[in-house]
Amino acid sequence: MFQSREPTLIWDLRAQLAEGPVWIESDRAVWFVDIKGKALHRYGVDDGSKTSWRAPDQIGFALPAEDGSLICGLRQGLHRFDPATGRFSFLQTIEPERPQNRLNDGFVGPDGRLWFGSMDDSEREDSGALYVWDRGALTRHDDGYRVTNGPAMSPDGRTLYFNDTLGRRIYAFDQDAGGLSNRRLFAELTEAYPDGPSVDSDGVVHVGLFNGSGVARFSPDGARLATIPLPVRTVTKAVFGGDDLRTLYCTTAWLGQDAAVRSAQPSLGGLYAVRVKTPGLPQSLIRL
C-alpha cells in the first residue's frame, strides 16, 4: 500500500494533457488518458506496471463498465475499449451538429449512468454541454460552456458539481431521478483554473488546479478549505484509490507551458500519488 504523505511521482510519463484518472478496484490499477497525445494509460499499483494504448483520436475519458470494458469519450463520440484485446470499437455519436467539439472528462453515477461534458476543441466558442448517457439514451442537461470539467457527485447523490474551467467557476445542481435543477455558483477561483473534480466520503470537493500547483478542497457549502500542494503547476484531476481509498492519484500536463516552466518542472505530465486522511467514494460501473 502506498504510504507517503508527500506527493510522489509514480510515472514520469510527460504526457501532453493527462486527464481523467480512475481507480478500478477489480484491476488494482489507475487508468487515465492523455487527451492530446491520443493515448490510454494503465498504472498497476501492486507491481508498478505501466501500459499504454494508442487511441483512434483525442480521448477525454475512459471509465469502467459492468462488463469489464471501458467506455471512452473520443472526439467523434463514445467507444468501448476491451483491455483484453486493446481494441476500441465505436458505440455512438454524441454531437454530430457540433463537429468542432470533443468530449472532455466524465463520471459514473451510483446508478450506473455515465455523465460527461463536451467542449470546443479550439477553446474559442461556448459550444460545450453537459450530458448523461443511460444505456444508449442521451440527454443534454446544460449548455453554453467553453471548457467543461467533471462532473462529480456528493455522497448522497443529491448534488452534482460541474466546472466552467475558463470561467473559473464551479457550479452545483440539485440531482434526482427527474434530472438536474437549481444551477447555482458553488465556488469561484481567481488564482488558477478549476480542472477535474472528485468528492470524498465527507462530501469535500477536490478540484485539480490548472496553473495552481495543487488540488483545492471545498466544503459542501462551497467554502475554500485548503490546497494539497504538488510540485508541478498543472494538476488536471485527482481521484481517490487504493485499498482504503485514501491515496489521491493526480494527473498533470505540460500543454500550454512555456520552455522556462517545462525546464524548471520536467515532470509535468506525470502521474503523482499522495496519501490523504479522508477516503474517497467507491468507483461505480457504467450500466450497459
Side-chain angles (χ1 to χ4, degrees):
M1 182 185 297
F2 193 84
Q3 294 294 336
S4 173
R5 291 191 179 273
E6 295 296 323
T8 299
L9 179 65
I10 58 175
W11 190 350
D12 191 10
L13 183 63
R14 305 192 184 191
Q16 291 186 57
L17 184 55
E19 255 284 14
V22 58
W23 164 252
I24 302 181
E25 182 180 8
S26 61
D27 190 39
R28 300 195 55 73
V30 179
W31 292 74
F32 61 101
V33 302
D34 179 356
I35 298 175
K36 295 297 184 179
K38 302 178 181 178
L40 174 62
H41 302 291
R42 176 191 179 276
Y43 175 80
V45 300
D46 292 328
D47 58 3
S49 58
K50 305 174 180 70
T51 312
S52 302
W53 295 266
R54 184 74 174 172
D57 206 335
Q58 295 184 68
I59 177 170
F61 60 82
L63 293 164
E66 59 188 4
D67 67 349
S69 68
L70 281 77
I71 304 301
C72 305
L74 275 72
R75 176 159 186 165
Q76 65 272 50
L78 296 179
H79 286 62
R80 177 184 278 116
F81 175 78
D82 183 351
T85 64
R87 294 178 181 172
F88 291 83
S89 55
F90 176 76
L91 279 178
Q92 186 171 336
T93 300
I94 298 301
E95 292 180 327
E97 78 284 7
R98 301 181 182 186
Q100 79 278 14
N101 277 9
R102 64 172 175 84
L103 303 187
N104 189 60
D105 205 8
F107 167 79
V108 187
D111 58 2
R113 293 190 298 170
L114 170 62
W115 295 84
F116 59 88
S118 65
M119 58 170 281
D120 175 21
D121 191 41
S122 68
E123 301 183 10
R124 290 194 293 263
E125 302 294 331
D126 296 334
S127 58
L130 169 62
Y131 295 92
V132 67
W133 185 84
D134 186 6
R135 292 181 287 193
L138 184 70
T139 303
R140 183 181 297 165
H141 281 282
D142 202 20
D143 211 342
Y145 295 85
R146 189 164 300 182
V147 176
T148 62
N149 266 290
M153 200 172 288
S154 61
D156 62 8
R158 298 174 62 182
T159 304
L160 183 137
Y161 305 98
F162 194 56
N163 293 357
D164 171 11
T165 295
L166 289 188
R168 300 181 190 247
R169 298 182 182 94
I170 303 169
Y171 290 106
F173 298 78
D174 293 336
Q175 197 275 145
D176 58 27
L180 301 181
S181 61
N182 187 30
R183 189 182 91 160
R184 57 203 179 272
L185 183 65
F186 173 74
E188 193 165 10
L189 279 72
T190 57
E191 83 285 8
Y193 296 97
D195 214 307
S198 298
V199 180
D200 71 18
S201 57
D202 285 343
V204 174
V205 182
H206 291 62
V207 177
L209 296 177
F210 198 93
N211 290 351
S213 303
V215 178
R217 302 175 69 248
F218 297 89
S219 69
D221 63 3
R224 182 75 173 264
L225 297 176
T227 297
I228 301 170
L230 267 79
V232 290
R233 69 193 305 256
T234 50
V235 182
T236 56
K237 192 168 185 175
V239 69
F240 297 88
D243 293 330
D244 57 4
L245 296 178
R246 289 181 52 230
T247 300
L248 204 58
Y249 293 99
C250 308
T251 47
T252 67
W254 58 255
L255 187 72
Q257 307 304 301
D258 61 27
V261 171
R262 292 182 63 183
S263 176
Q265 300 181 6
S267 63
L268 286 167
L271 178 66
Y272 279 82
V274 59
R275 292 286 287 169
V276 294
K277 288 182 62 176
T278 305
L281 299 169
Q283 173 64 44
S284 300
L285 303 178
I286 299 170
R287 180 174 57 182
L288 299 174

